[in-house]
Structures are given as structure tokens and as C-alpha cells.
Amino acid sequence: SMQCKMCAMSSQALADAAKKINAEQKLRQQAQEDLEIERANTKCLQKIVESLKNRLDDVKPKGLNDSLLEAELAKLQQDNTELNIQKDTLQGQLDALHERCG
């Protein structure tokens, strides 16, 4: 009957919606995990940059390999900047998922 068809259609729609919500939750979870990893990476890089700055201060009086350390430091700061950009992108995606998933 027509009513049976309507009921079957709406239960199919519900099943589809549930599948979609499930997929979105997995995506959100993945984005959250990626973000945590990026945060850890950034923290780690910041520590490396800090320790390099300290090493730089240590060697400055002796004038050892200044330019080498400064180049290394610049490279790490560049990496850190790129990681921060990635982190912001992931945060944006995560926020967008939160918006969509409620």
C-alpha cells in the first residue's frame, strides 16, 4: 500500500541519515586526532627552536658556527610556521565539521 511505501522510504531516509552522521563523526574524530598530532609537532618544534636559541647563545661568545646555527634556526622557524598554517587549516576543517554536525 501507499502507506507501507511511505514508511519504507522514511526508514530508508533515516538509515541514510544515520550513515551520513556516522561518517561525519568519523571525519570529525580524524580531524581532531590530526589536530592533536599537529599541536604536539608544533610544541616539539618550539622546544627544538628554544634549545637551538640557547645553543646559539652558548656559542656566540666563541663565535663558533654562527651562520650554520642561524640557518638551522631559520629553517626550523619556517617549518614551525608551516605547521602552524596546517594546524589552523585543520582547526578550520574541524570547526566546519562541528557546524555541520551540530
Side-chain angles (χ1 to χ4, degrees):
S1 75
M2 191 65 191
Q3 220 166 355
C4 276
K5 265 191 196 135
M6 298 270 289
C7 188
M9 275 161 59
S10 66
S11 72
Q12 184 56 50
L14 276 174
D16 290 346
K19 259 188 215 151
K20 197 176 168 201
I21 287 170
N22 223 354
E24 299 256 332
Q25 280 172 337
K26 280 196 180 111
L27 271 175
R28 188 193 303 184
Q29 181 65 40
Q30 187 58 56
Q32 185 71 54
E33 284 167 17
D34 290 349
L35 191 63
E36 292 306 318
I37 291 167
E38 288 305 330
R39 282 203 182 118
N41 284 346
T42 302
K43 270 196 188 123
C44 184
L45 270 174
Q46 281 163 344
K47 277 183 186 153
I48 293 169
V49 167
E50 250 347 279
S51 97
L52 264 177
K53 277 183 183 159
N54 293 339
R55 267 172 58 199
L56 203 50
D57 291 341
D58 290 346
V59 298
K60 271 223 162 100
K62 301 173 208 122
L64 293 174
N65 271 344
D66 258 19
S67 55
L68 204 79
L69 277 173
E70 273 167 357
E72 211 178 328
L73 182 59
K75 167 99 177 72
L76 277 168
Q77 283 168 331
Q78 175 66 34
D79 290 350
N80 195 30
T81 303
E82 282 165 18
L83 273 174
N84 279 327
I85 291 168
Q86 285 175 16
K87 187 179 76 175
D88 292 344
T89 305
L90 281 168
Q91 184 64 61
Q93 289 170 350
L94 191 62
D95 293 343
L97 275 173
H98 280 301
E99 290 289 308
R100 293 215 329 257
C101 301

